Amino acid sequence: MRAHHSRSPLIASFLVTIAFTGASFAAAAAPVSEAVDRAITAKAATAKQPLAGPASDAEFLRRAWLDFGGTIPTAEEARKYFADKDAGKRAKLIDQLIASPRFAERMGEAFHIQLMERNGNSLEWRSYLTESFRANKPWDQMAREIISPDFKDEKLRGAGYFITRRLEKVGQQDTDYPGLTRDTGRLFMGVDLQCCQCHKHLTVSDYKQADFSGLFMAFQNAKLQKPGGDYRTDWVAEGMVAKKYEFVSVLSSAKGATGPRVPLGKEVEIPTLAKEEQWIVPPDTKGKKAGIPRFSPLKEIAERLASPENPFFARNIANRIWFHLMGRGLVEPLDLMHSENPASHPELFDLLAQEMTAHKFDVKWLLRELALTQAYQRGSVIPPGAKDPPEDVFSVAKERPLSAEQLARAFLVATGEHERVAEGKGWEGIEGTKYSQKEFEKAFTAAFANEAREPELAVNPTLRSALFLRNNELVLWSLQRRTGNLIDRVAAMSDPAQIADEIYTAILTRPPTEDEKSDVAKYLTKHAADCEKALGHYAWAMLSSIEFFANH
Amino acid sequence: MNSPLCKPWEHAFSRRQFLGASAGALALGAFGGLASSRAAEAMRKKEKQVLFVWLDGGISQLESWDPKPNTQFGGPFRAIPTSVPGVHFSELMPKSAKQMHRLCVVRSLCTKDNAHSSGVARIQRGDPKTRGVPYPFFGSAISKLMGPTASKLPAYVWIKPGSGGFKAEDAGFLGPKYGSVAFGDGKPPDDLLRHASLTTEADEERNELREMLNKRYAEQRRRNYTEASSYVFDTAQELMKRADIFDTTKMPAKELDRYGRTEIGQHMLVARNMLEAGVRFVKVNSYGWDTHGDNFNGHASLVPKFDRAFAAIVEDLAASGLLENTLVVAMSEFGRTPRINGHVGRDHWPEAWSLAMAGCGVKAGAVVGATNEKGTFVKDEGYDIGSVFHTWFNALGIDSQRVEYDNHGQPLPIAHDDMKPIKEALV
């Protein structure tokens, strides 16, 4: 990144740029989306990489639906979009999707997957996230609510799951304070301090043992409590911190000590309090009730971490939102930001972080701004003349995996079973609970989600998922003819071209090519004896294909 | 596969898929039909494989590989001669005794942990120096270092009592791609068997259709995902095709009798079939060896079941020629105390215990090290599990003092950096 990336000078220069950009933003008001495309185009030209053409309407429609609505459109919705002649229909679609109630659910889900990394789920946590996105709560506020949770507030206590879940004991392992420390650095600041638990980082000179220790001591001071009294959920009680945390490097045996500290930031001074001032509510040792200390390291950390003054906070969220829509961060890995790991587009990256700060960490704003770029709306087909285009040039749209939840929903929409399974319509007294939305999501999650604590960043076909698609009862059930479902609709058609159009539009959100139409016709002729079953197999092949599994 | 470490496909694809080495170049159609033809196929390839038998809880060395009859702590069982003159086993192991000329028994293990909770993982990870990241278990290590064989079957299969499925925990920092496919109670994971509504023909046809769609889609796009996806679908297909290898209901009664109609007997028979079919690493677990109380009746019941199954598989692997390229290991997380406690049991004893090996790269008919007269401590040099890991890697042709893992740029030794292979155990 930048040579000026050492601590305090960086913050100073950062504040200067904010002030500067704030002014120029107001004056020039060039949309960020244009700046994005200028930067991407310039780098592609330098790298001599031809830019892919714009995504087709079909590819764009599917991509935008998946990203902002969490599922694919029905064939009917797709056809309506294809028929729309309005030149501004892409921007219109983005705005419609963002305005839909699905948007908050989709963002809540995406942030849940990102922040919990498949390590547990909780209704209150999910509803906290969804409602926060529904209210378009600024990201810095959310981060503070997550890092220093208000466990007594009915609407906010769900945020505490990020911490409480990570402090649950697993087997005979120690409470995983190091894991919580590491995840907080990774997910809120884009810095993975794991190595600094025991010594300074061996390959990243910016990361020091004090950076880990300062965050670690704040978390280690918090003890997991069971629900009771005013608390309806698991919660954490902080203890009294009166002195610094001491640590020793296992490599050099060098000793150090730190108070609470935001990684790569300044240490928080521990106040010297008279005995009677130490507690807002003193602990009740007889009743075994935790107290509330006047000095709360978590609060101090939360306020300093999720702040315009912490440059890593803005960079991290800008990078992660970019990743969310483009499939690759401007800085990679997402959690290894440091001075010797520059962004692929350094000026653009700085600009996004600055603008994100100037817009008070408005996630929806940045999502919309990026969705309007040519970069987001680019095709995934490699342009002629380009060979193995490097991902960090963003000259071709990157294919991204659908999450297990997106897959489950898209699968139900594609097979025409969504209304029956999700909304309970059209059962006609047949099998019920076995084929519920919940069962589908559970099964798809088991088959496609990563293992707990594995970030979901790339498409990872597994043996488990292949077996699931091949033999699972829910998958094959959806492909049997049933009133109103996809197979039922196409089985009632006699024109192979019409059949091809329906299954391609329903499953892959695009019309078939002439070749594909003739493939379908040939296949149906070959299997004229049992057309219904053959159609199920054809649909299965499409549903198991990469094209369906990738957000392209 | 020349280099055990660097395979071109690892550079081309993302993590966590099961991927095959030079799979495309092999005629997979050659498989099918008889187990013996599959064995021959694997033989011809000369691919190295591993059978790892884990006796969870701690088999007593005194009631198995290192008897001390008529001594203070020797217990009630006699020692019997083996097929190698001068070497004796406990009388509870008559069948394995007849295989001693194929085995290599190490009697001088001296390890560090006497708790199950930490010891199981510690031993199966080779107890390297602390590096702040969890090391892979042996099976995941081999899965990473050697990959699947040309058979396209999963590299690491775990046959165990209890639950099955896809178990990532053994893989440690290598990531779930190197975890195991577990056959719980010998049964396959969910969705492995072809759905009742599908015929083989229909299944294959729809899969060809899928491949065609993928090919068309991939023509104009980055290569990343298509091959990885094809690979897992192919692996799924290979496993589905070979439902016979884990279906104990279809196995000849004679074989079942020879392996023993016990849990470990059936699981060992499945393991043999898996090895013959070409699975790179098969782990078989047997539980219940933690005999703090009533050790002698416990071992009188457990050991013969193990003995029968273990001797049968060693014999079969030798007969099919697979043993030459298959490293066989049988061990626990520690041995048991020579001292007999107040409940006529033996407790945990990492100070002096034994394991048995056979096959690929290890010295047949050898006994390495010895314990003192009462069996309380190791005479001369004791070996920690780090040395044992070096030994296994070297037996499989992996230079464990040079080959390293790459943990996101951090080079990590594959076995304890201060230890060395046990030379006397290697050919």
Side-chain angles (χ1 to χ4, degrees):
Chain A
M1 229 158 332
R2 295 123 295 247
H4 62 244
H5 186 99
S6 60
R7 288 174 204 183
S8 38
L10 172 116
I11 291 166
S13 76
F14 183 76
L15 290 173
V16 171
T17 28
I18 289 182
F20 174 74
T21 325
S24 71
F25 184 75
V32 166
S33 55
E34 285 176 20
V36 168
D37 284 320
R38 272 198 307 275
I40 298 294
T41 309
K43 173 142 181 182
T46 318
K48 296 199 170 59
Q49 286 294 331
L51 294 172
S56 65
D57 269 1
E59 193 167 45
F60 173 75
L61 174 71
R62 189 174 186 270
R63 188 183 298 167
W65 262 81
L66 284 166
D67 283 336
F68 298 101
T71 184
I72 56 171
T74 62
E76 201 182 331
E77 284 162 328
R79 288 198 188 97
K80 214 166 97 193
Y81 182 78
F82 300 155
D84 187 352
K85 298 280 178 264
D86 184 350
K89 69 179 181 176
R90 292 199 175 188
K92 203 167 75 184
L93 176 71
I94 302 272
D95 285 332
Q96 278 166 0
L97 288 168
I98 288 182
S100 149
R102 280 208 194 92
F103 172 74
E105 285 158 24
R106 161 67 185 146
M107 293 318 297
E109 186 174 279
F111 271 71
H112 158 68
I113 294 170
Q114 177 167 270
L115 294 173
M116 294 311 296
E117 299 182 329
R118 300 291 180 190
N119 179 23
N121 201 348
S122 118
L123 282 176
E124 289 208 67
W125 160 249
R126 294 299 292 276
S127 116
Y128 164 79
L129 289 174
T130 308
E131 292 314 314
S132 297
F133 283 105
R134 189 154 286 152
N136 199 29
K137 197 183 274 179
W139 171 241
D140 59 333
Q141 188 185 337
M142 285 177 74
R144 285 192 293 272
E145 288 168 358
I146 292 169
I147 296 169
S148 173
D150 182 347
F151 288 102
K152 287 188 177 168
D153 187 309
E154 195 184 339
K155 290 211 172 82
L156 299 179
R157 67 189 178 209
Y161 186 67
F162 179 85
I163 291 180
T164 55
R165 170 64 183 167
R166 285 172 167 86
L167 295 185
E168 278 175 30
K169 280 211 167 216
V170 182
Q172 298 185 326
Q173 304 286 328
D174 286 341
T175 306
D176 195 12
Y177 290 111
L180 175 58
T181 307
R182 181 187 182 204
D183 285 352
T184 304
R186 289 173 53 233
L187 300 167
F188 291 93
M189 286 177 58
V191 297
D192 184 348
L193 300 166
Q194 186 185 28
C195 300
C196 303
Q197 186 182 351
C198 308
H199 49 74
K200 71 174 189 187
H201 202 289
L202 296 179
T203 55
V204 180
S205 54
D206 297 349
Y207 299 176
K208 306 282 196 287
Q209 200 171 354
D211 293 316
F212 180 92
S213 305
L215 194 53
F216 176 75
M217 78 161 307
F219 284 128
Q220 205 189 24
N221 181 49
K223 305 286 179 241
L224 188 65
Q225 314 285 326
K226 288 284 143 203
D230 296 342
Y231 299 97
R232 306 289 294 273
T233 57
D234 279 0
W235 61 288
V236 295
E238 292 189 86
M240 240 280 294
V241 171
K243 61 179 180 55
K244 294 188 180 198
Y245 174 77
E246 291 170 7
F247 55 89
V248 184
S249 165
V250 297
L251 294 182
S252 66
S253 301
K255 287 183 184 163
T258 183
R261 176 199 294 268
V262 171
L264 297 97
K266 271 189 259 167
E267 186 179 337
V268 179
E269 202 178 319
I270 300 170
T272 319
L273 299 171
K275 205 161 187 192
E276 61 279 11
E277 286 180 346
Q278 287 173 348
W279 297 94
I280 296 173
V281 179
D284 171 4
T285 42
K286 271 191 193 153
K288 291 190 179 169
K289 274 190 184 161
I292 302 171
R294 193 163 300 280
F295 176 65
S296 158
L298 284 185
K299 207 166 164 199
E300 301 289 335
I301 294 277
E303 273 165 17
R304 286 167 172 81
L305 190 153
S307 144
E309 285 169 40
N310 175 8
F312 285 89
F313 181 70
R315 285 183 196 147
N316 175 65
I317 191 64
N319 200 39
R320 285 181 185 270
I321 289 178
W322 179 277
F323 171 87
H324 180 75
L325 294 184
M326 309 291 186
R328 181 193 165 88
L330 287 165
V331 178
E332 284 282 341
L334 297 182
D335 53 12
L336 211 63
M337 293 197 194
H338 61 93
S339 54
E340 283 155 39
N341 182 24
S344 57
H345 299 69
E347 292 82 14
L348 172 60
F349 185 49
D350 284 350
L351 175 78
L352 291 181
Q354 287 158 19
E355 289 289 339
M356 195 56 183
T357 312
H359 280 84
K360 304 204 182 311
F361 304 104
D362 181 342
V363 171
K364 191 195 274 188
W365 168 81
L366 184 58
L367 281 166
R368 183 174 178 279
E369 206 63 39
L370 294 182
L372 294 174
T373 62
Q374 293 164 19
Y376 176 75
Q377 299 187 17
R378 198 155 276 142
S380 64
V381 171
I382 295 175
K387 225 188 138 208
D388 296 329
E391 287 184 355
D392 63 359
V393 177
F394 300 99
S395 55
V396 180
K398 187 182 170 189
E399 299 147 276
R400 294 170 274 142
L402 268 61
S403 69
E405 293 83 352
Q406 282 175 318
L407 271 177
R409 283 190 294 263
F411 187 89
L412 288 170
V413 169
T415 54
E417 286 293 346
H418 177 260
E419 289 203 342
R420 193 172 356 248
V421 168
E423 292 160 31
K425 293 178 188 162
W427 278 107
E428 300 160 5
I430 41 173
E431 332 89 311
T433 53
K434 191 173 162 195
Y435 305 98
S436 66
Q437 169 99 353
K438 212 172 146 196
E439 286 303 309
F440 270 82
E441 284 196 3
K442 209 170 104 188
F444 273 75
T445 307
F448 297 102
N450 280 0
E451 295 293 330
R453 294 160 195 257
E454 278 282 311
E456 285 190 7
L457 303 176
V459 172
N460 292 301
T462 60
L463 177 57
R464 183 204 311 243
S465 60
L467 289 170
F468 174 80
L469 286 168
R470 296 186 78 129
N471 297 318
N472 188 270
E473 167 65 19
L474 294 178
V475 170
L476 298 177
W477 174 87
S478 308
L479 293 167
Q480 288 159 13
R481 185 172 185 175
R482 204 167 291 106
T483 311
N485 76 2
L486 174 66
I487 302 302
D488 188 46
R489 294 203 307 270
V490 291
M493 297 174 182
S494 51
D495 176 12
Q498 197 193 357
I499 293 175
D501 189 74
E502 184 64 20
I503 54 177
Y504 271 83
T505 312
I507 298 175
L508 300 177
T509 321
R510 67 174 174 88
T513 63
E514 289 309 313
D515 280 354
E516 285 162 343
K517 278 187 203 163
S518 91
D519 283 348
V520 171
K522 268 188 243 157
Y523 182 81
L524 291 176
T525 312
K526 187 180 164 197
H527 294 279
D530 195 352
C531 228
E532 210 174 290
K533 208 161 204 176
L535 284 166
H537 290 329
Y538 212 97
W540 178 87
M542 290 169 71
L543 286 160
S544 311
S545 72
I546 303 277
E547 184 170 353
F548 184 74
F549 272 76
N551 184 356
H552 47 82
Chain B
M1 213 180 332
N2 298 323
S3 155
L5 261 193
C6 183
K7 301 185 190 70
W9 46 261
E10 291 210 347
H11 303 297
F13 304 133
S14 57
R15 291 172 65 202
R16 216 177 293 101
Q17 315 98 355
F18 288 101
L19 291 172
S22 56
L26 291 155
L28 292 160
F31 289 115
L34 301 167
S36 58
S37 75
R38 288 201 302 264
E41 180 78 4
M43 261 286 284
R44 198 169 56 75
K45 300 268 185 310
K46 294 267 178 203
E47 292 203 88
K48 288 175 178 154
Q49 292 171 277
V50 181
L51 168 68
F52 188 72
V53 183
W54 183 256
L55 306 172
D56 196 272
I59 185 175
S60 165
Q61 67 283 5
L62 296 157
E63 276 71 54
S64 56
W65 313 111
D66 192 12
K68 300 281 178 186
N70 309 316
T71 64
Q72 185 182 359
F73 305 127
F77 301 115
R78 290 175 304 159
I80 54 169
T82 67
S83 57
V84 172
V87 178
H88 292 74
F89 288 170
S90 163
E91 65 173 327
L92 299 177
M93 306 229 287
K95 293 183 188 296
S96 298
K98 293 200 180 98
Q99 300 297 323
M100 178 59 214
H101 59 290
R102 299 192 166 112
L103 304 181
C104 172
V105 174
V106 180
R107 285 175 171 163
S108 49
L109 292 177
C110 178
T111 54
K112 292 199 181 68
D113 207 317
N114 72 350
H116 298 291
S117 55
S118 45
V120 170
R122 198 155 167 167
I123 295 297
Q124 293 197 53
R125 291 188 165 125
D127 201 9
K129 283 187 185 170
T130 305
R131 290 305 207 291
V133 291
Y135 257 63
F137 280 28
F138 188 38
S140 294
I142 292 303
S143 174
K144 167 73 182 173
L145 296 168
M146 304 182 84
T149 69
S151 70
K152 278 203 172 184
L153 288 168
Y156 178 13
V157 167
W158 182 12
I159 304 164
K160 64 191 280 293
S163 70
F166 295 84
K167 307 266 182 188
E169 61 269 24
D170 285 9
F173 71 80
L174 295 178
K177 173 184 168 185
Y178 300 101
S180 65
V181 180
F183 286 64
D185 290 327
K187 285 195 243 354
D190 285 350
D191 299 324
L192 194 142
L193 298 178
R194 179 169 294 111
H195 193 271
S197 70
L198 288 166
T199 62
T200 315
E201 294 73 35
D203 186 32
E204 281 177 15
E205 191 183 10
R206 66 178 191 157
N207 197 42
E208 279 162 23
L209 214 47
R210 189 189 62 81
E211 287 288 329
M212 183 193 78
L213 294 170
N214 276 354
K215 213 175 134 201
R216 189 175 279 157
Y217 171 81
E219 266 165 15
Q220 298 172 293
R221 289 182 171 84
R222 289 189 170 100
R223 299 181 59 232
N224 300 14
Y225 306 137
T226 333
E227 291 176 37
S229 164
S230 292
Y231 188 80
V232 294
F233 270 81
D234 289 352
T235 302
Q237 184 138 334
E238 288 307 310
L239 262 176
M240 285 160 63
K241 265 192 212 161
R242 318 279 205 64
D244 58 316
I245 65 181
F246 47 77
D247 190 349
T248 46
T249 59
K250 296 205 178 103
M251 286 167 192
K254 215 170 134 189
E255 291 200 335
L256 280 173
D257 286 340
R258 208 157 54 80
Y259 277 73
R261 289 178 185 262
T262 60
E263 195 168 63
I264 192 174
Q266 298 207 354
H267 291 178
M268 204 76 92
L269 186 51
V270 173
R272 186 205 67 186
N273 293 347
M274 296 253 182
L275 289 167
E276 286 183 349
V279 172
R280 173 77 71 188
F281 189 106
V282 180
K283 173 158 93 168
V284 178
N285 262 47
S286 163
Y287 290 98
W289 292 85
D290 195 19
T291 50
H292 290 283
D294 201 9
N295 174 72
F296 302 105
N297 282 320
H299 274 70
S301 155
L302 287 164
V303 177
K305 290 174 189 153
F306 161 76
D307 177 55
R308 177 181 282 263
F310 184 71
I313 199 167
V314 169
E315 195 174 20
D316 281 358
L317 291 175
S320 65
L322 286 175
L323 190 60
E324 196 185 325
N325 291 303
T326 304
L327 172 67
V328 176
V329 177
M331 72 181 303
S332 300
E333 62 268 42
F334 36 60
R336 307 211 72 85
T337 45
R339 197 185 78 88
I340 299 161
N341 67 26
H343 304 281
V344 203
R346 295 193 193 270
D347 301 318
H348 306 164
W349 194 243
E351 303 294 334
W353 55 295
S354 307
L355 67 77
M357 302 184 280
C360 184
V362 301
K363 203 175 277 175
V367 172
V368 174
T371 46
N372 61 17
E373 211 168 296
K374 289 184 178 175
T376 49
F377 292 98
V378 170
K379 266 194 212 163
D380 307 322
E381 192 183 359
Y383 294 108
D384 202 345
I385 189 66
S387 300
V388 177
F389 262 60
H390 278 291
T391 311
W392 293 338
F393 284 135
N394 280 273
L396 292 165
I398 299 167
D399 183 347
S400 55
Q401 281 156 300
R402 293 180 61 184
V403 172
E404 288 177 326
Y405 296 122
D406 175 1
N407 176 36
H408 305 292
Q410 178 192 20
L412 293 173
I414 60 171
H416 197 296
D417 14 347
D418 294 342
M419 297 186 192
K420 286 182 181 154
I422 307 170
K423 280 220 174 94
E424 307 92 290
L426 291 168
V427 174

